[in-house]
Structures are given as C-alpha cells and as structure tokens.
Amino acid sequence: MNAESKPGDSLSVQLRLRIIGAEKITLGPGKIELLGLIEETGSLGKAAKAMGLSYMKAWSMIQTMKPLVRTSRGGPCRGGAKLTATGRAALALYQQMQNDCVSSSAKTWKRLQRLLRG
Amino acid sequence: MNAESKPGDSLSVQLRLRIIGAEKITLGPGKIELLGLIEETGSLGKAAKAMGLSYMKAWSMIQTMKPLVRTSRGGPCRGGAKLTATGRAALALYQQMQNDCVSSSAKTWKRLQRLLRG
C-alpha cells in the first residue's frame, strides 16, 4: 500500500498512514495490505502467503480488526476469509485518504525532488 | 513530525512520508525530526539528545544528507550545526507536503473515524 511515484524517477515518495486508537495501532500499511489481499483472494492463507507472513501471524492481525473481516471456520477451506461491508468501506476510505495525499502534495513533491536532485 | 489529530479523539491518524532515492531511504520522519531540531537548537549534540539518539548516530544520519546540514568542526562548540539554505527549503517542503496531506484527507478521515467507531 505504498504510494510511490513512477519508476524511472531517481527519487520516490512513500506515504504511510497509521490509524491509531488508544495508544495502540489499529490500522496501518501492513493491515491494509492484508485486507486488500483478503478481498482479492478470499483466503486468509493465500493473503498471508502473498505477504510472506505465517498463517498465525495473519490470524493474529485480523483478531485486532474483527468488525472488518469475516472468517469461515469449519468450512472445507481452512482460512477462507472475506471482508465485511465495514471492512470494504474502511479499505476504500483508507485508500481514498492515500490518494488525497498523493494528489494534494504532488506539486510540492516536484519542488522537493528538484531541490534534492540539486 | 507526526501529524496527529487532536487529543480527546479516540482515534488518531499518523502520517509518515519517506523520500527514497536509489533503493535507499534518504529522508524520512526521523531525519526530518533531526533537521527540525538542528534548526531549533543550532547543535547536533542537543538535537541528538532531544531525540534520545547517541551523538554518533545523529552524526551518521547527517552524513547521508550532507547538502542539507553544515557542521562547525574545530570550533569551541563540538556538535555545532545548522541547516544550509537547501536544508531549510527541504524541511519546509516536506512539512508542506505533510500539511497538504492532512488538509486534503481530513474529510475522508472523519468518515473513516465514524466507520471505525461503529
């Protein structure tokens, strides 16, 4: 979920947004990537694998964002998972915030790039 | 250099921008904080201390951003340091990008907050 500028540029900008609740990170780039992969694959196992995480690590991550993900236990496909309506909305809003940031700072970013390239 | 929402909110958002050059991080929240503290204190030692870093760590950080900081060696004040004109401009542009992001995503952030609070 990094928003980077085009390849070919010698400098790129990486943007990370973290949503923090009560001294504890509740939603950051890693969890957002996991949500996106669950949405894409319909499987917690496949999402974990795509991120190079153990199944248990991915499982523990979704325990901290229960209203966002629904897992199918006891079904034929261990690790079957999908986003709830709230999860899909949260993912979309996070991505929208990221897009808002990238668009709004693009002009200043060009100036900073020129400055740092000398 | 985190841009957080007001205390009293149960959720806050933390924004981190990293400027990356050639596979290597050249400017991120830590270095920006160091630049800001050098600007404020005029001293690498004081800036390091304020961040809980060793002098050597802060020194090695500024070695990766030489056009941005000027140190006074051999002077009476070991660790005397100040930003170059380029350094002040880079700091201001980075902060401007951060402000651009915070302003542009504020409305979406309100929606995400309402969603996550349930």
Side-chain angles (χ1 to χ4, degrees):
Chain A
M1 288 313 310
N2 296 327
E4 306 210 6
S5 59
K6 294 187 206 77
D9 287 350
S10 66
L11 291 169
S12 63
V13 64
Q14 183 193 59
L15 170 73
R16 294 168 73 89
L17 292 173
R18 266 177 215 286
I19 312 303
I20 300 172
E23 308 284 316
K24 185 173 146 181
I25 292 166
T26 51
L27 210 51
K31 285 179 186 167
I32 287 290
E33 187 179 354
L34 184 61
L35 290 178
L37 286 164
I38 288 170
E39 177 74 348
E40 199 181 307
T41 64
S43 154
L44 185 59
K46 284 180 189 164
K49 195 172 175 186
M51 288 180 72
L53 298 175
S54 70
Y55 183 83
M56 281 311 295
K57 171 65 184 170
W59 176 261
S60 73
M61 284 166 77
I62 65 168
Q63 297 316 297
T64 66
M65 41 182 184
K66 282 190 173 171
L68 309 185
V69 184
R70 183 175 301 121
T71 51
S72 52
R73 286 178 163 185
C77 176
R78 170 183 173 276
K82 60 182 188 175
L83 302 194
T84 61
T86 305
R88 281 193 301 276
L91 181 61
L93 288 170
Y94 181 101
Q95 289 168 338
Q96 182 62 50
M97 285 179 74
Q98 229 171 8
N99 293 342
D100 293 342
C101 285
V102 172
S103 314
S104 70
S105 63
K107 209 168 154 182
T108 310
W109 167 232
K110 286 283 170 209
R111 290 175 61 198
L112 182 54
Q113 265 178 303
R114 276 196 299 271
L115 181 76
L116 293 177
R117 281 170 179 163
Chain B
M1 290 312 311
N2 297 327
E4 307 210 6
S5 59
K6 296 187 205 77
D9 287 351
S10 65
L11 291 169
S12 63
V13 64
Q14 182 192 60
L15 170 73
R16 295 168 73 90
L17 292 174
R18 267 178 214 285
I19 312 303
I20 299 172
E23 308 284 317
K24 184 175 147 181
I25 293 166
T26 51
L27 209 51
K31 285 179 186 167
I32 287 290
E33 188 179 355
L34 184 60
L35 290 178
L37 286 164
I38 288 170
E39 177 73 347
E40 199 180 308
T41 64
S43 155
L44 184 58
K46 283 180 189 165
K49 194 172 174 185
M51 288 179 72
L53 299 175
S54 69
Y55 183 83
M56 282 310 296
K57 172 65 184 170
W59 176 261
S60 72
M61 285 166 76
I62 65 168
Q63 297 316 297
T64 67
M65 41 182 184
K66 281 190 175 172
L68 309 185
V69 183
R70 184 175 300 121
T71 52
S72 53
R73 287 181 164 184
C77 175
R78 170 183 173 276
K82 60 183 187 176
L83 301 194
T84 62
T86 304
R88 280 194 302 276
L91 181 61
L93 288 170
Y94 181 102
Q95 289 169 338
Q96 182 61 50
M97 285 179 73
Q98 230 171 8
N99 293 342
D100 293 342
C101 286
V102 171
S103 313
S104 69
S105 63
K107 209 168 154 183
T108 311
W109 167 233
K110 287 283 169 209
R111 290 175 60 197
L112 182 53
Q113 264 178 304
R114 276 196 299 270
L115 182 76
L116 293 177
R117 281 169 180 163

